[in-house]
Amino acid sequence: MIKSLRGVGYSLETAVADLIDNSITACASQVSLNLAWNEGNPVAAIFDDGVGMTEAKLVEAMRFGGGGPDTERTVNDLGRFGLGLKTASFSQCRQLTVVSKTHSDQTAFTWDIDYLADMGSNWQLIEGDEGLPLDLRAILNGSSAGTLVVWRKIDFGRKDDFPSHASFKRDLERLDHHLGMVFHRFLDGDAPRLSILLNGSPVKAWDPFLEAYSIPTPIQPIPSPGGRILFRGFILPYQDRFATKEEFDRAGGPNGWLSQQGFYVYRQKRLIYFGGWLGLGPSRSWTRDEASKLARIRIDIPNSADRDWRIDIKKSEARPPDAIRPRLQQLAEDVRRRAREILVHRGDYGRRSATSEVSKIWKINAENSDRRYSIDRTHELVATLRKRLSGDRQSLLDSILDVIERTVPVERVWLDVTEKGVKPVLLDEAASVRSALELVHVLEKNGFAFSDAITAVQKMDPYEGIQGLREKLLQLDRFKK
């Protein structure tokens, strides 16, 4: 049975996260993870400063199925099936030792798969920490209470495909990012504060919602089987709102902007499900697409809703109850729509007076039009050029514009965006003002009064979003003169 449970599907990061759940339940304020390569024989030690367990409680914790899914749990209990400690550990190793210390006692037990195989059908739990290296035994010495989980005989659940040292280091980097995301509300948020050290370095929180910069929707309580849930959408800022490319990349998350869009489901403020649309959609399920990449949605569910949300053993999957799917879809559609508007307007949606007042050279026509995108012939620049041309040259201009419209590489652009994403073009306001002034002078040479030219440029895409543009143009013009 243990060998079968090794194949539940844990990765290193989901296994470690499952152990940290136990530390949070034990009211720990710090978890220290040490994963050593140990010359190709890795050893992992996870220590927390929680309340610890008595001998009786530790035996129960080592029991398979102890405290199962029907157990009534406290609000800070992140357990689910009574299997996490064992299944998470055995997904990565063949020998599990747990040493726990209370204010009055210290006790230890070990499960060893190879020992059990030799014992036949006898489930023999090994008592004590015999064979545990002295440096690991010493971890508990400076603490009045706490629990130490040690993995030995680590094979990562594989038979022959053992990772190299370089792969092991990449796994640790992925683990760091994963823990920073899953426990970000504990590391730096609205949950009880927890610090996590990975090989001595603090794990940094990654907030999927960038709440200081995003546009949030109101919190929507939704009555649901298993208990009320809370829904809140966030529309993230456009890429040129970030100061650096590094800041933009970090905001994209461990898996990048496209993959991290969608729902984030939290169970007692611990992230369960992230990045995806929970199978919602009007006729077919929504997919992760470029148009919705700025949309992220937070859902908080209580641990009393585990069965109805079908939380799995790894606590990495969730599915909403059928009763609330229509409401979730309705709210999510609004968040996706608003995110698309931000993307279309390049982040300036919130501060434009009205879209109709912005002078755009490209028009988006109705879906049934013979041409999806066309150049606005009434745009100031096009109209000004037409006035400067004679009849034949006006026809040439019309032909050029027609060819441009017919050859817009829509499919190629969409494919490039989907496959490669969009490189962040950080806003260079000084360059934009210089470009705007050059355009003002062009209009001025073609019959516009200087003040009227500034007014026209102020309304043009892409200059209309620059705050105080008129004053900046006047100042720059005086400087150049």
Side-chain angles (χ1 to χ4, degrees):
M1 188 183 84
I2 293 178
K3 288 181 178 178
S4 297
L5 288 173
R6 298 194 78 196
V8 166
Y10 282 95
S11 61
L12 174 63
E13 55 266 29
T14 56
V16 172
D18 214 338
L19 298 190
I20 293 177
D21 288 344
N22 296 333
S23 300
I24 292 173
T25 301
C27 303
S29 61
Q30 184 176 91
V31 177
S32 180
L33 312 170
N34 290 284
L35 286 87
W37 177 243
N38 195 32
E39 297 181 353
N41 296 295
V43 175
I46 301 99
F47 170 72
D48 71 57
D49 61 358
V51 296
M53 291 176 280
T54 63
E55 179 176 338
K57 287 186 177 180
L58 180 53
V59 169
E60 184 64 17
M62 298 294 273
R63 187 191 309 278
F64 283 82
D70 293 329
T71 301
E72 187 173 344
R73 300 183 182 277
T74 61
V75 292
N76 70 324
D77 190 343
L78 297 183
R80 170 73 173 108
F81 290 96
L83 290 170
L85 170 64
K86 287 76 66 177
T87 53
S89 298
F90 285 134
S91 72
Q92 306 298 311
C93 72
R94 300 176 66 83
Q95 187 180 63
L96 163 67
T97 297
V98 181
V99 185
S100 197
K101 184 178 183 180
T102 65
H103 293 288
S104 59
D105 196 14
Q106 180 170 316
T107 187
F109 289 99
T110 296
W111 279 122
D112 188 310
I113 292 178
D114 300 323
Y115 179 74
L116 287 175
D118 293 338
M119 295 296 293
S121 61
N122 187 1
W123 286 72
Q124 185 64 52
L125 187 61
I126 302 171
E127 187 172 0
D129 59 0
E130 185 176 351
L132 203 64
L134 292 176
D135 60 330
L136 294 180
R137 289 188 187 183
I139 292 177
L140 280 164
N141 290 347
S143 180
S144 60
T147 298
L148 172 67
V149 177
V150 180
W151 292 348
R152 288 175 288 175
K153 299 183 182 180
I154 290 179
D155 59 4
F156 301 103
R158 309 176 190 179
K159 183 177 180 182
D160 300 313
D161 182 32
F162 197 78
S164 64
H165 188 207
S167 296
F168 178 73
K169 290 171 67 176
R170 287 195 296 271
D171 287 343
L172 293 187
E173 184 177 345
R174 188 164 54 249
L175 172 62
D176 186 10
H177 293 158
H178 183 79
L179 297 180
M181 175 176 62
V182 169
F183 297 104
H184 75 91
R185 294 171 76 173
F186 293 87
L187 295 168
D188 185 22
D190 58 350
R193 188 54 57 92
L194 176 73
S195 67
I196 303 175
L197 300 177
L198 177 57
N199 288 346
S201 298
V203 172
K204 296 181 181 178
W206 177 71
D207 174 14
F209 311 112
L210 279 74
E211 295 194 42
Y213 308 100
S214 299
I215 302 172
T217 66
I219 296 174
Q220 296 280 350
I222 303 176
S224 173
R228 186 186 70 165
I229 70 166
L230 299 177
F231 176 106
R232 191 173 205 186
F234 295 85
I235 296 87
L236 273 64
Y238 187 72
Q239 57 202 22
D240 63 7
R241 302 300 106 183
F242 294 92
T244 65
K245 184 179 184 303
E246 290 72 23
E247 184 180 333
F248 170 78
D249 289 341
R250 177 168 173 77
N255 300 321
W257 279 93
L258 204 61
S259 295
Q260 300 279 177
Q261 67 182 269
F263 284 95
Y264 289 72
V265 180
Y266 294 82
R267 175 179 178 266
Q268 303 302 134
K269 301 185 180 180
R270 190 268 205 206
L271 185 59
I272 296 288
Y273 173 96
F274 58 90
W277 293 104
L278 291 173
L280 298 177
S283 55
R284 60 179 181 177
S285 299
W286 291 322
T287 58
R288 297 177 177 94
D289 58 38
E290 186 70 24
S292 303
K293 73 178 184 179
L294 301 182
R296 294 177 185 172
I297 297 168
R298 185 175 72 204
I299 292 183
D300 281 294
I301 69 173
N303 58 11
S304 58
D306 288 349
R307 188 185 297 275
D308 295 290
W309 279 77
R310 289 170 279 182
I311 306 298
D312 68 345
I313 289 177
K314 305 187 304 295
K315 286 173 282 188
S316 61
E317 290 291 337
R319 285 174 285 180
D322 291 342
I324 65 168
R325 289 176 70 88
R327 180 58 174 156
L328 286 181
Q329 181 170 308
Q330 179 188 33
L331 294 171
E333 280 178 339
D334 180 64
V335 176
R336 285 166 57 90
R337 176 188 60 78
R338 296 176 65 180
R340 181 179 177 85
E341 289 173 347
I342 290 288
L343 195 67
V344 168
H345 295 297
R346 301 188 324 279
D348 293 324
Y349 176 73
R351 71 186 185 200
R352 296 174 189 233
S353 55
T355 304
S356 60
E357 296 179 7
V358 179
S359 177
K360 293 176 175 290
I361 200 165
W362 282 102
K363 293 195 302 182
I364 302 176
N365 303 314
E367 292 287 353
N368 58 359
S369 173
D370 61 348
R371 199 164 298 180
R372 181 73 175 124
Y373 305 98
S374 61
I375 295 172
D376 186 358
R377 304 301 198 270
T378 65
H379 189 276
E380 289 87 348
L381 296 180
V382 178
T384 299
L385 180 56
R386 286 183 64 85
K387 290 179 183 178
R388 301 281 294 180
L389 300 176
S390 60
D392 289 343
R393 290 180 178 178
Q394 284 186 359
S395 299
L396 177 60
L397 172 63
D398 290 335
S399 297
I400 291 172
L401 297 180
D402 181 68
V403 170
I404 292 173
E405 290 172 346
R406 290 177 181 275
T407 57
V408 175
V410 177
E411 292 82 5
R412 180 71 257 175
V413 170
W414 183 253
L415 184 62
D416 286 344
V417 167
T418 303
E419 291 181 347
K420 303 174 184 177
V422 181
K423 294 183 179 179
V425 182
L426 302 178
L427 185 64
D428 186 343
E429 185 175 280
S432 297
V433 173
R434 290 195 298 271
S435 173
L437 183 61
E438 291 175 6
L439 183 53
V440 167
H441 288 158
V442 168
L443 292 175
E444 191 180 13
K445 292 176 182 177
N446 284 275
F448 280 70
F450 181 65
S451 179
D452 293 340
I454 291 180
T455 300
V457 170
Q458 275 184 298
K459 295 181 179 180
M460 286 186 192
D461 178 24
Y463 305 111
E464 85 291 347
I466 302 176
Q467 296 292 325
L469 179 59
R470 175 177 290 272
E471 291 73 19
K472 291 172 182 176
L473 289 173
L474 292 172
Q475 183 178 4
L476 181 60
D477 185 65
R478 286 195 296 269
F479 173 79
K480 286 193 171 184
K481 289 178 179 178

